[in-house]
Amino acid sequence: SANKSKAFAKFKIVFIGNQAVGKTSIIARFVYEQIPQQHQPTIGIDFLSKCIQVDNKTVRLQLWDTAGQERFRSLIPSYIRDSHAAVLCYDVSNAQTFIDIKQWLEYVREERGSDVLGVLIANKIDIEDRAVTTEEGEKFAKEQDLLYYEVSAKEGTNVQSTFKNLALKLLGPI
Ligand code: GDP
Ligand code: MG
């Protein structure tokens, strides 16, 4: 019915990960279909939102960006508290950003346990000289019960489909 298609879900999705892994770029690629020209380390926390159509429903995704700097880690608990999904991002050309995912995940688990959809995003797959393989990312995601996606914010690869898939997961079984 017409009523059914007007069902309107809203989800808060928080982005976490080291500085310069591409969190802001992924969000900007999804929302504006382009990425910012210059790297601007995010100050504090900000969000953008976008509506998409999935499964004959309109879904509003509210995307919360963060800075990866140490001084902002104290902010994590407050903004992760009422989130529906935590998106942990790393840069496939930088091994340390993958190693540090463990710590970021710990912050999320401390605050929310498994009461939040956990997502792992491997960004910058356009870079040929990878330091972290697909297999390593997938293995970690499987062990930690996280969804796993590989994207390039720079080229736009898999970005729209990742958010669409995420929205479907958040809507849950039909
Ligand atoms: P944030 O600190 O996690 O928000 O990272 P930014 O979005 O500011 O990106 C950091 C740098 O990585 C910028 O110079 C971006 O242009 C670059 N970058 C982001 N995504 C990609 C990507 O998919 N591929 C490549 N090659 N560079 C990217
Ligand atoms: Mg940023």
Side-chain angles (χ1 to χ4, degrees):
S1 72
N3 242 359
K4 228 177 197 170
S5 65
K6 277 179 190 159
F8 189 70
K10 287 183 207 167
F11 297 110
K12 177 179 172 181
I13 302 172
V14 298
F15 283 72
I16 300 169
N18 289 13
Q19 195 178 346
V21 297
K23 301 179 297 298
T24 301
S25 297
I26 293 166
I27 293 169
R29 169 61 71 187
F30 172 60
V31 176
Y32 304 124
E33 298 185 17
Q34 59 184 30
I35 67 170
Q37 293 289 49
Q38 248 138 36
H39 172 57
Q40 294 184 316
T42 316
I43 307 298
I45 290 165
D46 230 329
F47 72 85
L48 285 174
S49 84
K50 183 176 180 173
C51 284
I52 56 170
Q53 301 291 323
V54 284
D55 200 27
N56 200 31
K57 294 185 183 83
T58 300
V59 178
R60 177 177 289 279
L61 301 180
Q62 198 182 57
L63 310 165
W64 289 68
D65 198 2
T66 55
Q69 294 96 323
E70 186 69 40
R71 69 184 182 279
F72 295 122
R73 286 186 183 180
S74 60
L75 294 177
I76 300 287
S78 63
Y79 97 121
I80 196 107
R81 200 159 290 148
D82 57 347
S83 65
H84 299 94
V87 179
L88 305 159
C89 305
Y90 66 96
D91 168 354
V92 298
S93 72
N94 180 334
Q96 192 61 47
T97 66
F98 179 64
I99 292 165
D100 289 346
I101 287 291
K102 277 206 176 112
Q103 185 63 60
W104 290 115
L105 181 60
E106 216 167 279
Y107 292 135
V108 173
R109 297 287 194 224
E110 266 170 29
E111 190 61 31
R112 299 295 303 277
S114 50
D115 187 34
V116 64
L117 182 66
V119 183
L120 186 62
I121 289 190
N123 188 36
K124 309 199 188 182
I125 60 166
D126 57 283
I127 298 176
E128 280 171 32
D129 193 14
R130 283 178 72 142
V132 187
T133 65
T134 298
E135 292 70 29
E136 288 170 308
E138 277 177 346
K139 182 171 180 279
F140 181 79
K142 200 172 177 187
E143 284 166 4
Q144 300 293 333
D145 203 20
L146 307 169
L147 298 174
Y148 178 74
Y149 302 101
E150 293 200 334
V151 307
S152 165
K154 185 182 179 187
E155 296 185 342
T157 317
N158 294 343
V159 175
Q160 305 299 325
S161 62
T162 290
F163 282 99
K164 192 173 176 181
N165 204 279
L166 192 46
L168 277 170
K169 297 281 184 196
L170 287 164
L171 283 168
I174 307 146

Coordinates of all heavy atoms in Angstrom, one line a residue, residues 47-78:
F47 N 28.0 15.9 11.6 CA 27.4 14.9 10.8 C 26.7 15.5 9.6 O 26.4 16.6 9.4 CB 26.3 14.1 11.6 CG 25.1 14.9 12.0 CD1 24.0 15.0 11.1 CD2 25.0 15.5 13.2 CE1 22.9 15.6 11.5 CE2 23.9 16.2 13.6 CZ 22.8 16.3 12.7
L48 N 26.5 14.6 8.6 CA 25.8 14.9 7.4 C 24.7 13.8 7.3 O 24.9 12.7 7.7 CB 26.7 14.7 6.2 CG 27.7 15.8 5.9 CD1 28.7 15.4 4.8 CD2 27.0 17.1 5.6
S49 N 23.6 14.2 6.6 CA 22.6 13.1 6.5 C 22.1 13.0 5.0 O 22.2 14.0 4.3 CB 21.5 13.2 7.5 OG 20.5 14.1 7.1
K50 N 21.7 11.9 4.6 CA 21.2 11.6 3.3 C 20.1 10.6 3.3 O 20.2 9.6 4.0 CB 22.4 11.2 2.4 CG 22.0 11.0 0.9 CD 23.2 10.6 0.1 CE 22.7 10.4 -1.4 NZ 23.9 10.3 -2.3
C51 N 19.1 10.8 2.5 CA 18.0 9.8 2.3 C 18.3 8.9 1.1 O 18.7 9.4 0.1 CB 16.7 10.5 2.1 SG 16.0 11.2 3.6
I52 N 18.1 7.6 1.3 CA 18.2 6.7 0.2 C 17.0 5.8 0.1 O 16.3 5.7 1.2 CB 19.5 5.9 0.1 CG1 19.6 5.1 1.4 CG2 20.7 6.7 -0.1 CD1 20.8 4.0 1.3
Q53 N 16.7 5.3 -1.0 CA 15.6 4.4 -1.2 C 16.1 2.9 -1.2 O 17.0 2.6 -2.0 CB 14.9 4.6 -2.6 CG 14.3 6.0 -2.8 CD 13.2 6.3 -1.9 OE1 12.3 5.4 -1.6 NE2 13.1 7.5 -1.4
V54 N 15.7 2.2 -0.3 CA 16.0 0.7 -0.3 C 14.8 -0.1 0.0 O 14.0 0.3 0.9 CB 17.2 0.3 0.7 CG1 18.5 0.8 0.2 CG2 17.0 0.9 2.1
D55 N 14.6 -1.2 -0.7 CA 13.6 -2.1 -0.3 C 12.2 -1.3 -0.3 O 11.4 -1.6 0.6 CB 13.9 -2.7 1.1 CG 13.2 -4.0 1.3 OD1 12.8 -4.6 0.4 OD2 13.0 -4.2 2.5
N56 N 12.0 -0.4 -1.2 CA 10.7 0.4 -1.3 C 10.5 1.2 0.0 O 9.4 1.6 0.3 CB 9.5 -0.6 -1.6 CG 8.4 0.2 -2.1 OD1 8.5 1.2 -2.8 ND2 7.2 -0.2 -1.8
K57 N 11.6 1.5 0.7 CA 11.5 2.4 1.8 C 12.4 3.6 1.7 O 13.5 3.4 1.1 CB 11.8 1.6 3.1 CG 10.8 0.5 3.5 CD 11.2 -0.1 4.8 CE 10.3 -1.2 5.2 NZ 10.8 -2.5 4.6
T58 N 12.1 4.7 2.3 CA 13.0 5.8 2.4 C 13.7 5.6 3.7 O 13.1 5.4 4.8 CB 12.3 7.1 2.4 OG1 11.6 7.2 1.2 CG2 13.3 8.3 2.5
V59 N 15.1 5.7 3.6 CA 15.9 5.5 4.8 C 16.8 6.7 5.0 O 17.4 7.1 4.0 CB 16.8 4.2 4.8 CG1 17.7 4.1 6.0 CG2 15.9 3.0 4.6
R60 N 16.7 7.4 6.1 CA 17.6 8.5 6.3 C 18.8 8.0 7.1 O 18.7 7.5 8.2 CB 16.9 9.6 7.1 CG 17.9 10.8 7.4 CD 17.2 12.0 8.1 NE 16.4 12.7 7.2 CZ 16.7 13.6 6.3 NH1 18.0 13.9 6.2 NH2 15.9 14.2 5.6
L61 N 20.0 8.2 6.5 CA 21.2 7.8 7.2 C 21.9 9.1 7.7 O 22.2 10.0 7.0 CB 22.2 7.1 6.2 CG 21.6 5.8 5.6 CD1 22.7 5.2 4.7 CD2 21.2 4.8 6.7
Q62 N 22.1 9.1 9.0 CA 22.8 10.3 9.6 C 24.2 9.8 9.9 O 24.4 8.9 10.7 CB 22.1 10.6 10.9 CG 22.4 12.0 11.4 CD 21.7 12.3 12.7 OE1 21.8 11.6 13.7 NE2 20.9 13.3 12.8
L63 N 25.2 10.4 9.2 CA 26.5 10.0 9.2 C 27.4 10.9 10.1 O 27.6 12.1 9.8 CB 27.1 9.9 7.8 CG 26.1 9.2 6.8 CD1 26.5 9.4 5.4 CD2 26.2 7.7 7.1
W64 N 27.9 10.3 11.2 CA 28.7 11.1 12.1 C 30.2 10.9 11.8 O 30.7 9.8 11.9 CB 28.4 10.7 13.6 CG 27.0 11.2 14.0 CD1 25.8 10.8 13.5 CD2 26.7 12.2 14.9 NE1 24.8 11.4 14.1 CE2 25.3 12.3 14.9 CE3 27.5 13.1 15.7 CZ2 24.6 13.3 15.8 CZ3 26.8 14.0 16.6 CH2 25.4 14.1 16.6
D65 N 30.8 12.0 11.6 CA 32.3 12.0 11.3 C 33.0 12.3 12.6 O 32.5 13.0 13.5 CB 32.6 13.1 10.3 CG 33.9 13.0 9.5 OD1 34.6 12.0 9.8 OD2 34.2 13.8 8.7
T66 N 34.2 11.8 12.6 CA 35.1 12.1 13.8 C 36.5 12.3 13.4 O 36.9 12.0 12.3 CB 35.2 10.9 14.8 OG1 35.7 9.8 14.1 CG2 33.9 10.6 15.5
A67 N 37.2 12.9 14.3 CA 38.7 13.0 14.1 C 39.3 11.8 14.8 O 38.8 11.3 15.8 CB 39.2 14.3 14.7
G68 N 40.4 11.3 14.3 CA 41.1 10.2 14.9 C 42.1 10.5 16.0 O 42.6 9.7 16.6
Q69 N 42.3 11.8 16.1 CA 43.3 12.2 17.1 C 43.0 11.8 18.5 O 41.9 11.8 18.9 CB 43.5 13.8 17.1 CG 44.0 14.3 15.8 CD 42.9 14.8 14.9 OE1 41.8 14.2 14.9 NE2 43.1 15.9 14.2
E70 N 44.1 11.5 19.2 CA 44.0 11.0 20.6 C 43.1 11.9 21.4 O 42.3 11.4 22.2 CB 45.4 11.1 21.1 CG 45.6 10.5 22.5 CD 45.3 9.0 22.5 OE1 45.8 8.3 21.6 OE2 44.7 8.5 23.4
R71 N 43.2 13.2 21.2 CA 42.5 14.1 22.1 C 41.0 14.0 22.0 O 40.2 14.5 22.8 CB 43.0 15.6 22.0 CG 42.6 16.3 20.7 CD 43.2 17.6 20.7 NE 42.9 18.4 19.5 CZ 43.5 18.2 18.3 NH1 44.5 17.4 18.2 NH2 43.2 19.0 17.3
F72 N 40.5 13.4 20.9 CA 39.1 13.3 20.7 C 38.5 12.0 21.1 O 37.3 11.8 21.1 CB 38.7 13.6 19.2 CG 39.0 15.0 18.8 CD1 39.9 15.3 17.7 CD2 38.4 16.1 19.5 CE1 40.1 16.6 17.4 CE2 38.7 17.4 19.1 CZ 39.6 17.6 18.0
R73 N 39.4 11.1 21.5 CA 38.9 9.7 21.8 C 38.0 9.8 23.0 O 37.1 8.9 23.1 CB 40.1 8.8 22.1 CG 40.8 8.4 20.8 CD 41.9 7.4 21.0 NE 42.5 7.1 19.7 CZ 43.5 6.3 19.5 NH1 43.9 5.6 20.5 NH2 44.0 6.2 18.3
S74 N 38.2 10.8 23.9 CA 37.3 10.9 25.0 C 35.8 11.2 24.6 O 34.9 11.0 25.4 CB 37.8 11.9 26.0 OG 37.8 13.2 25.3
L75 N 35.7 11.7 23.4 CA 34.3 12.0 22.9 C 33.6 10.8 22.4 O 32.3 10.8 22.3 CB 34.4 13.0 21.8 CG 34.9 14.4 22.0 CD1 35.0 15.2 20.7 CD2 34.0 15.1 23.0
I76 N 34.3 9.7 22.1 CA 33.7 8.5 21.5 C 32.5 8.0 22.3 O 31.5 7.8 21.7 CB 34.8 7.4 21.2 CG1 35.9 8.0 20.3 CG2 34.1 6.2 20.7 CD1 35.5 8.1 18.8
P77 N 32.7 7.7 23.6 CA 31.5 7.1 24.3 C 30.2 7.9 24.2 O 29.2 7.3 23.9 CB 32.0 7.1 25.8 CG 33.5 7.1 25.7 CD 33.8 7.9 24.4
S78 N 30.3 9.2 24.2 CA 29.0 10.0 24.2 C 28.3 9.9 22.8 O 27.1 9.9 22.7 CB 29.3 11.4 24.6 OG 30.1 12.0 23.6

